[in-house]
Amino acid sequence: EDLCGGTGRSAAAMSLLQAQRRFLLLTLEEGEEYVTDFAASLVIPGKGPSPPSFQGRLRICSKSLIFDPEAVTSPILKFPFRKVTSL
């Protein structure tokens, strides 16, 4: 088995850990607190008959919602509560 850095973890396990660590507390605004997160799917409406769907984590914070997609090629999306008009 291919091990990474002598840690005893496989390459697949290390890749999974790196994907989970994309979200950093540095993403938060000053004074904002991280509350919790959930597994979530983000569907973008209005993109044809079959809108695209992304799997990831929805991070709940005191001043925003942050969607952290599993796909590392997709950007992390931040939705500040002050700009959210409806849910």
Side-chain angles (χ1 to χ4, degrees):
E1 181 177 22
D2 181 27
L3 300 179
C4 297
T7 62
R9 294 188 176 126
S10 69
M14 288 300 289
S15 177
L16 179 62
L17 286 173
Q18 288 172 347
Q20 290 176 344
R21 292 185 182 155
R22 274 182 69 196
F23 172 77
L24 299 173
L25 292 176
L26 296 173
T27 307
L28 304 179
E29 295 178 21
E30 186 174 336
E32 185 173 16
E33 295 182 26
Y34 172 82
V35 179
T36 191
D37 65 275
F38 300 95
S41 295
L42 174 68
V43 177
I44 302 174
K47 296 288 184 181
S50 179
S53 174
F54 301 92
Q55 303 300 311
R57 303 293 299 176
L58 182 63
R59 314 288 181 169
I60 311 297
C61 303
S62 60
K63 296 181 180 181
S64 63
L65 297 174
I66 299 172
F67 183 75
D68 185 6
E70 288 177 0
V72 295
T73 56
S74 298
I76 293 174
L77 302 174
K78 185 172 183 177
F79 304 96
F81 290 141
R82 68 181 179 274
K83 293 186 178 182
V84 174
T85 57
S86 65
L87 293 175

